Amino acid sequence: MLLVVLVLLLPTVSDACGDPPRFETMRLQGAPKPRYRPGERIQYDCRLGFKPIIPLRSRSAVCEDDNTWSALEEACTRKSCPNLGDPMNGQVYFVNGSILFGSQAHFVCNQGFYLIGARILHCEISENNVNWNDNSPTCEKILCSTPGNIKNGRFTIYKDEYQYNEIVTYMCDPSNGPDEYSLVGESRLVCVDHDRWSSDPPECKVVKCDYPVVEHGMIVSGFRRKFYYKMQVVFKCNQGFSLHGSSTVVCNANSAWEPEIPTCAQVPLAATTKPSTTHASGFVKSCSYLSISFKFFVNFQNPLNVW
């Protein structure tokens, strides 16, 4: 009988609250129990990266007599990382406009400066608090070292160091041979980033294309004795021939015409047709008229002549 009474006094599953409610900013103190009796109270702490906005007593819920938990709302808010100021010669932008836990800070430098360090910082958990995951970067002045020297050429304004947007210009030396040097590549280089020029240095070399010949065609523009780099020639075909390919070619850096020199192909002649009846009739009428005129002339000169 005693055992029966004790069993009847124990709460049944239907007389208990279910799992405690879950929250984004809070976590349950201690380990959860399989069931909670009416009147039992549970307490919540703030999760890492969050801090309380109401007292501890208010961050609790009670198992009500109807086996439901009392109302409880989020009671913690995100912690803030230390404020970040703009770096010298640059700016910092916060993606969501705040320095709260989970935020990002993006750094950019002013024109003429480059970034040293992490471009993006994250506000994240650091031990029991929050902090930026790296030190703030710095903005340093963009400078370029001396660009490369080239064979058979040179560049202007030789220095050990060049400022941002500063320009050097390359040129070729006079040739000692029968053909001049051509500058292949960009003649003007600009300092665009830290120790980086806008392009590689050019070359100075002899670029010479063969005299372009098109059978059954002719050059109509670009006549020269020699054809050097980037020189252009325009062709056309003789009468009765049609052009196949590009009419304009250019001497490229490999001493070849680009695109290939065109060809001129003969245009097929149209099939001949017989004279029309109208033309033949006109021809006969003309001959008849001439015959009559000739007879009249002879008769006039010799009236006794009989035809």
Side-chain angles (χ1 to χ4, degrees):
M1 290 293 293
L2 180 60
L3 290 174
V4 172
V5 171
L6 290 175
V7 170
L8 292 174
L9 290 174
L10 289 173
T12 62
V13 174
S14 61
D15 294 331
C17 288
D19 293 335
R22 296 180 60 85
F23 297 93
E24 178 187 0
T25 66
M26 301 185 298
R27 63 184 177 186
L28 186 68
Q29 280 186 358
K33 295 166 60 176
R35 58 179 179 268
Y36 295 84
R37 292 176 298 175
E40 280 195 85
R41 181 181 295 273
I42 55 175
Q43 203 75 38
Y44 287 88
D45 290 326
C46 293
R47 294 183 184 274
L48 289 175
F50 296 85
K51 62 183 179 180
I53 53 177
I54 59 176
L56 180 62
R57 179 66 180 176
S58 301
R59 300 196 306 274
S60 63
V62 177
C63 180
E64 304 284 6
D65 294 336
D66 60 356
N67 302 325
T68 62
W69 291 103
S70 59
L72 178 62
E73 296 180 355
E74 300 278 1
C76 300
T77 188
R78 295 175 186 273
K79 292 181 178 180
S80 296
C81 277
N83 194 22
L84 295 173
D86 291 333
M88 187 175 293
N89 302 309
Q91 295 84 38
V92 59
Y93 299 95
F94 299 101
V95 174
N96 56 4
S98 76
I99 55 175
L100 298 177
F101 171 57
S103 299
Q104 292 183 13
H106 291 215
F107 291 83
V108 293
C109 293
N110 297 339
Q111 190 175 28
F113 295 83
Y114 71 101
L115 198 75
I116 297 180
R119 187 174 297 275
I120 300 176
L121 299 186
H122 301 266
C123 180
E124 57 187 33
I125 295 171
S126 176
E127 297 180 351
N128 293 325
N129 208 341
V130 295
N131 204 349
W132 298 105
N133 66 320
D134 206 340
N135 296 323
S136 295
T138 58
C139 293
E140 298 292 333
K141 194 172 186 179
I142 290 177
L143 296 171
C144 289
S145 56
T146 307
N149 292 317
I150 60 172
K151 187 179 179 180
N152 304 318
R154 61 193 187 280
F155 61 87
T156 57
I157 318 175
Y158 187 94
K159 299 191 299 184
D160 293 332
E161 201 172 63
Y162 296 81
Q163 305 287 328
Y164 174 71
N165 266 348
E166 195 164 358
I167 297 172
V168 296
T169 303
Y170 283 83
M171 60 195 73
C172 293
D173 297 329
S175 172
N176 295 324
D179 298 309
E180 62 186 57
Y181 292 123
S182 295
L183 191 140
V184 180
E186 297 294 332
S187 62
R188 289 160 51 94
L189 271 62
V190 184
C191 178
V192 294
D193 204 348
H194 175 57
D195 212 14
R196 185 169 69 86
W197 293 92
S198 55
S199 65
D200 293 330
E203 294 181 85
C204 284
K205 63 179 184 178
V206 173
V207 177
K208 184 180 178 182
C209 288
D210 294 334
Y211 194 95
V213 176
V214 174
E215 190 176 3
H216 306 301
M218 65 185 75
I219 296 174
V220 295
S221 176
F223 293 101
R224 291 177 182 86
R225 190 170 60 89
K226 296 180 179 181
F227 296 88
Y228 295 121
Y229 182 50
K230 287 188 177 180
M231 288 186 176
Q232 180 176 287
V233 176
V234 181
F235 301 95
K236 80 168 186 177
C237 293
N238 298 337
Q239 188 173 4
F241 292 84
S242 63
L243 190 81
H244 292 262
S246 175
S247 62
T248 303
V249 295
V250 179
C251 183
N252 68 19
N254 297 322
S255 297
W257 293 105
E258 188 177 355
E260 293 183 356
I261 294 176
T263 58
C264 291
Q266 189 169 15
V267 178
L269 295 175
T272 56
T273 57
K274 296 181 179 180
S276 64
T277 305
T278 304
H279 292 147
S281 175
F283 177 75
V284 172
K285 288 181 179 179
S286 298
C287 291
S288 299
Y289 175 78
L290 290 173
S291 176
I292 294 170
S293 298
F294 178 74
K295 289 179 179 180
F296 176 80
F297 175 76
V298 172
N299 290 334
F300 179 79
Q301 295 293 327
N302 187 8
L304 299 178
N305 188 31
V306 179
W307 287 74

